[in-house]
Amino acid sequence: MKLPISILDLAHIGDDGIAASFRASVELAQQAEGWGYTRIWYAEHHNMPSIASSATSVLIAHVAAHTNTIRLGSGGIMLPNHSPLQIAEQFGTLETLHPGRIDLGLGRAPGSDQNTMRALRRDPSAADTFPSDVQELQAYFAGQTRISGVNAYPGKDTNVPVYILGSSLFGARLAAALGLPYSFASHFAPTALEDAVRIYRREFKPSAALAEPYVIAGVNAIVADSQEEANALSLTANRRMAGALVAPGRTFTDAEYDLLLESPAGQQVMNMRRYSAVGTKPAVRAYLDEFAAKADADELIVASQITDRTAWIRSFELLGQAMELSLAV
């Protein structure tokens, strides 16, 4: 049985603007359906000029309306930014409109900086109630509300599948305790991957939602028709990430970008992207097979920081071919 491969669409905002980002997300999803990808997830980020998925459930609805079969969801919704009832209503609506196609990945990070947290009216202590908030949300979907007289309409009895997202051991232990699938953000936070997965599998308790542990591991991939092209696309992506980390909103010459990459901040970017497959189809296939074994993953979710939209979509096309996804459709 072939390893399921999914996509994390970072909804990159390029020089062509936000509307173009949404059009590109739709185009990718439409193509990915035919290429054999399992799901596409979008992440909740705020106050980031390079990411267009802040209104995550709205973007999911838009893409779902323009596709037919591929699963769509959040990777993830930052639950402390919201009440569980609101998310139950939003994703209950999505599931009702697009039955059997909606996933709800949940994280406890703010998805923003401290000032943006205040603008979101988020209580800094909200992350402390994340475990109970997840259970409250699950109860709405199951029609077994934990708050007397309060139900999610829509949402009740929709049983939207819930995934716990994380980049530390906390999420692994929570997913295991609740018997939920676990997605590790190793595409940008690689350090604790193996420990987190080991703990999750060891401590997993079967639940009504899931009988056996299920791990999705994040990984970066840039696939091109030649190694030289893939390397060039990767270098551009690394330069952009280093610039965004050091001086958001500023532009630099290539030489200045390269100096940034040699700086401590640049080395931090390279470490964040430790798990990255860059190359032609055979090279990327070999890398991802090895990574999946290292991560003990049941599924991979792939992110790509390619800035050129044509090359971005082509990369996922080549990746689907490399992993022989269409043979599993």
Side-chain angles (χ1 to χ4, degrees), residues 244-292:
L245 184 66
V246 174
R250 282 189 57 188
T251 57
F252 300 90
T253 66
D254 287 349
E256 289 171 332
Y257 275 123
D258 290 340
L259 287 174
L260 284 177
L261 287 174
E262 295 174 4
S263 71
Q267 292 305 301
Q268 181 182 347
V269 167
M270 299 306 294
N271 184 59
M272 288 169 63
R273 299 191 66 221
R274 183 191 314 169
Y275 294 126
S276 295
V278 179
T280 59
K281 290 191 291 185
V284 168
R285 172 62 185 264
Y287 183 97
L288 292 183
D289 285 345
E290 181 179 343
F291 172 77

Side-chain angles (χ1 to χ4, degrees), residues 30-198:
Q30 291 172 336
Q31 297 284 1
E33 263 185 348
W35 294 335
Y37 284 91
T38 298
R39 68 186 94 239
I40 301 178
W41 282 357
Y42 309 90
E44 178 188 348
H45 292 288
H46 299 281
N47 194 33
M48 293 190 180
S50 62
I51 296 179
S53 52
S54 54
T56 315
S57 58
V58 179
L59 180 56
I60 293 169
H62 177 66
V63 177
H66 290 82
T67 51
N68 298 301
T69 58
I70 195 165
R71 297 193 67 88
L72 300 164
S74 60
I77 288 292
M78 301 299 107
L79 190 55
N81 292 343
H82 314 272
S83 73
L85 178 61
Q86 287 175 312
I87 298 304
E89 292 167 343
Q90 291 175 20
F91 279 77
T93 298
L94 288 168
E95 174 63 25
T96 303
L97 291 170
H98 308 284
R101 295 180 57 201
I102 302 301
D103 300 326
L104 176 54
L106 298 171
R108 66 174 182 140
S112 59
D113 55 40
Q114 295 295 319
N115 285 337
T116 307
M117 282 177 56
R118 286 194 287 271
L120 286 166
R121 305 296 191 268
R122 172 180 163 149
D123 183 342
S125 66
D128 297 341
T129 61
F130 180 68
S132 61
D133 287 347
V134 172
Q135 293 175 297
E136 181 184 335
L137 179 53
Q138 285 185 285
Y140 286 129
F141 289 141
Q144 299 171 354
T145 180
R146 290 183 161 211
I147 300 178
S148 178
V150 178
N151 283 287
Y153 303 110
K156 183 181 179 182
D157 298 323
T158 55
N159 295 302
V160 175
V162 172
Y163 298 72
I164 298 298
L165 278 57
S167 57
S168 69
L169 305 186
F170 176 89
R173 290 195 166 97
L174 178 62
L178 298 181
L180 292 174
Y182 179 53
S183 182
F184 191 88
S186 35
H187 62 291
F188 75 88
T191 304
L193 170 63
E194 293 174 84
D195 287 341
V197 172
R198 191 179 303 113

Side-chain angles (χ1 to χ4, degrees), residues 172-318:
R173 290 195 166 97
L174 178 62
L178 298 181
L180 292 174
Y182 179 53
S183 182
F184 191 88
S186 35
H187 62 291
F188 75 88
T191 304
L193 170 63
E194 293 174 84
D195 287 341
V197 172
R198 191 179 303 113
I199 288 170
Y200 168 70
R201 290 194 180 280
R202 184 181 69 229
E203 299 183 3
F204 181 84
K205 297 179 180 178
S207 68
L210 192 66
E212 298 179 348
Y214 191 86
V215 172
I216 303 175
V219 62
N220 301 290
I222 292 179
V223 198
D225 292 298
S226 71
Q227 185 67 50
E228 293 74 18
E229 181 186 359
N231 289 342
L233 292 168
S234 181
L235 176 58
T236 299
N238 289 340
R239 286 169 170 169
R240 180 175 64 85
M241 288 185 65
L245 184 66
V246 174
R250 282 189 57 188
T251 57
F252 300 90
T253 66
D254 287 349
E256 289 171 332
Y257 275 123
D258 290 340
L259 287 174
L260 284 177
L261 287 174
E262 295 174 4
S263 71
Q267 292 305 301
Q268 181 182 347
V269 167
M270 299 306 294
N271 184 59
M272 288 169 63
R273 299 191 66 221
R274 183 191 314 169
Y275 294 126
S276 295
V278 179
T280 59
K281 290 191 291 185
V284 168
R285 172 62 185 264
Y287 183 97
L288 292 183
D289 285 345
E290 181 179 343
F291 172 77
K294 177 184 180 68
D296 195 13
D298 301 292
E299 179 179 332
L300 299 182
I301 188 161
V302 178
S304 176
Q305 287 80 16
I306 295 175
T307 55
D308 178 270
R309 300 209 188 278
T310 300
W312 179 66
I313 290 178
R314 175 65 172 161
S315 178
F316 283 115
E317 179 183 13
L318 293 172

